[in-house]
Amino acid sequence: MSVRTPDPDPDWTPKPPEGAPNTNPGWLKDVELAEIRRRLPILYIEAVPVRVDGLGQVVEVGVLLRARSTGEMTRTLVSGRVLYGETLRDALFRHLEKDLGPMAFPQLPVSPVPFTVAEYFPLPGISAYTDDRQHAVSLAYVVPVTGTCDPRQDALEITWMTPAEAVSPGVSAEMEGGRGALLRAAMASVGLLY
């Protein structure tokens, strides 16, 4: 099964005055994006939202619930494209706020180094990750959040689970495109899987 990473809403960023064109040069028109996806890998960020205890140990993992256009319910992580001229930190913050709401209060990593790089291909079998639309390279982060999460855009809810529940075969089966493997790699990166 392939994954369809969510496309950002070009009007999500602060809107220009009524009737004025969107002047954000980082957004592509649908036709431009489709053409670029056929020719180049696209850079994404992905984030595994977590809650930590006083010692910094992960105690809960947040997994988003989304409805596909077919009506099927799937689980996924915070993800989205990096815009031209946008820093990784800015992209990470923008997508966390977009998917979790402005009161999530994510604690962004000090370093822009991800815990892994996931390479999505349109054909299965090349890597553990697939996306039927494109070749995408995703920098993946574990990000503690301290506030209230109120999913927005196409996320219906965020489900908080223990790390063991999050990496269970049942939850992995609900995640598309190999994101179950990405979630297991995230938990391994914080010392919860060996």
Side-chain angles (χ1 to χ4, degrees):
M1 181 185 298
S2 61
V3 67
R4 297 206 39 99
T5 48
D7 289 324
D9 177 358
D11 296 324
W12 182 82
T13 55
K15 291 183 180 183
E18 187 67 33
N22 186 349
T23 57
N24 184 341
W27 292 115
L28 299 170
K29 295 177 182 157
D30 289 343
V31 173
E32 294 170 325
L33 180 60
E35 182 64 26
I36 289 170
R37 281 180 165 156
R38 285 193 294 271
R39 296 174 181 235
L40 298 169
I42 305 291
L43 181 62
Y44 281 78
I45 59 89
E46 291 188 278
V48 177
V50 298
R51 300 237 190 244
V52 297
D53 64 16
L55 297 174
Q57 298 295 313
V58 173
V59 293
E60 289 184 309
V61 179
V63 180
L64 296 171
L65 180 67
R66 287 201 169 106
R68 297 182 66 190
S69 59
T70 61
E72 180 185 10
M73 303 300 272
T74 60
R75 300 249 178 226
T76 193
L77 304 172
V78 171
S79 66
R81 291 193 313 262
V82 177
L83 298 176
Y84 179 80
E86 184 177 43
T87 67
L88 293 174
R89 289 177 62 78
D90 288 344
L92 191 56
F93 183 79
R94 179 171 57 84
H95 287 292
L96 284 160
E97 185 176 80
K98 175 184 69 77
D99 285 350
L100 303 180
M103 301 305 288
F105 302 129
Q107 304 297 304
L108 296 183
V110 174
S111 169
V113 177
F115 72 84
T116 195
V117 176
E119 194 169 14
Y120 291 85
F121 287 95
L123 301 172
I126 298 173
S127 81
Y129 311 105
T130 58
D131 182 334
D132 64 350
R133 301 166 304 159
Q134 65 188 340
H135 176 189
V137 176
S138 182
L139 307 178
Y141 301 87
V142 175
V143 180
V145 294
T146 60
T148 303
C149 295
D150 183 24
R152 302 175 350 167
Q153 299 290 319
D154 59 349
L156 301 174
E157 71 175 27
I158 185 166
T159 305
W160 292 98
M161 311 174 186
T162 67
E165 291 169 330
V167 299
S168 70
V171 172
S172 289
E174 294 177 1
M175 299 184 90
E176 295 180 310
R179 284 205 168 97
L182 188 63
L183 187 51
R184 284 189 300 278
M187 293 303 96
S189 77
V190 297
L192 295 177
L193 292 178
Y194 304 100

